[in-house]
Amino acid sequence: MPPGDTSASVTQASRETNLDLRPPSISDGNGMWTLASASGTLDVNSRYSYLLWCRDFADTSVIVTDGGDYAGFLTGYRRPDSPDTFFVWQIAVADSHRRRGLARRMLDHVVARDGANPRFVEATVTPDNIPSTRLFESFADANDCPMRRDELFSERALGDGHEPEILFRIGPLHDHT
Ligand SMILES: CC(C)(COP(=O)(O)OP(=O)(O)OC[C@H]1O[C@@H](n2cnc3c(N)ncnc32)[C@H](O)[C@@H]1OP(=O)(O)O)[C@@H](O)C(=O)NCCC(=O)NCCS
């Protein structure tokens, strides 16, 4: 880029302002499935499950669009037996939008929603998933709280050569209400 040429940063800045983060509706279910399928690492669930999720768990989930394109999603829920704990089930960002803080933004956004105010955030991550590990470490650092790691589901329990799923438990978070 020639000195003084700001076109790349202007393009990126304008793209960022076009991002719309909101609760998903049923019509976003197929977009979520497409993002999950393209992610390269997520266990891809049925199209039906994403549509159903959008119907029943929209308040604790996020879809991101950039103009007409899907840029990312997060599915999560409050644990029924531990309502102070928000569990992030799946999070994915389209290749074209990675490394620009969008996953962090989705996480910050869903935790800050009215009525959410969790004390703990949980997610499971496979040991080789560096971007995901860094994402949750970054969230814990930004909130100035510890992150515990314990195996939740072993390789044996998951079967099929699936890597173990390590539970990250972040908190207690400070009350922002
Ligand atoms: C994991 C994922 C959602 C991260 O999305 P993203 O928008 O690129 O992440 P962000 O830009 O918000 O980055 C969050 C933090 O992780 C770090 N990070 C992100 N990708 C990274 C990578 N490839 N290598 C090292 N660090 C990385 C960032 O530097 C940032 O840390 P910082 O705040 O300390 O600077 C994305 O890589 C993805 O969709 N992966 C495939 C699906 C997946 O594995 N989901 C998680 C399953 S648990």
Side-chain angles (χ1 to χ4, degrees):
M1 185 166 70
D5 181 350
T6 54
S7 55
S9 53
V10 169
T11 308
Q12 177 157 333
S14 55
R15 290 189 68 147
E16 304 304 351
T17 54
N18 282 339
L19 293 179
D20 181 29
L21 284 73
R22 58 176 168 78
S25 56
I26 291 172
S27 60
D28 297 311
N30 269 313
M32 279 187 177
W33 180 87
T34 304
L35 286 166
S37 303
S39 73
T41 44
L42 289 180
D43 285 341
V44 183
N45 303 290
S46 68
R47 287 176 187 267
Y48 178 91
S49 71
Y50 290 99
L51 267 64
L52 188 67
W53 194 270
C54 291
R55 190 191 75 152
D56 289 342
F57 296 96
D59 285 353
T60 51
S61 301
V62 184
I63 188 82
V64 185
T65 52
D66 181 358
D69 300 326
Y70 287 108
F73 80 90
L74 178 158
T75 49
Y77 63 91
R78 219 165 290 126
R79 288 184 57 199
D81 292 340
S82 310
D84 67 349
T85 301
F86 185 88
F87 186 85
V88 179
W89 182 32
Q90 291 196 315
I91 181 165
V93 169
D95 254 345
S96 54
H97 288 70
R98 287 188 188 168
R99 305 295 309 257
R100 296 192 209 164
L102 182 52
R104 262 299 305 281
R105 223 174 125 183
M106 285 195 281
L107 202 46
D108 294 346
H109 171 89
V110 79
V111 164
R113 265 193 198 149
D114 275 355
N117 200 30
R119 285 197 77 223
F120 296 93
V121 169
E122 289 185 345
T124 69
V125 177
T126 52
D128 65 346
N129 195 334
I130 306 296
S132 190
T133 301
R134 282 295 312 132
L135 165 65
F136 291 106
E137 286 173 345
S138 159
F139 179 79
D141 286 350
N143 284 280
D144 194 25
C145 55
M147 181 167 95
R148 269 187 57 182
R149 301 168 205 227
D150 296 291
E151 185 176 270
L152 181 65
F153 302 130
S154 67
E155 204 168 343
R156 183 146 172 244
L158 288 159
D160 251 356
H162 195 299
E163 281 192 275
E165 291 280 352
I166 310 303
L167 179 70
F168 289 179
R169 183 168 165 84
I170 301 166
L173 299 171
H174 306 292
D175 190 337
H176 293 299
T177 54

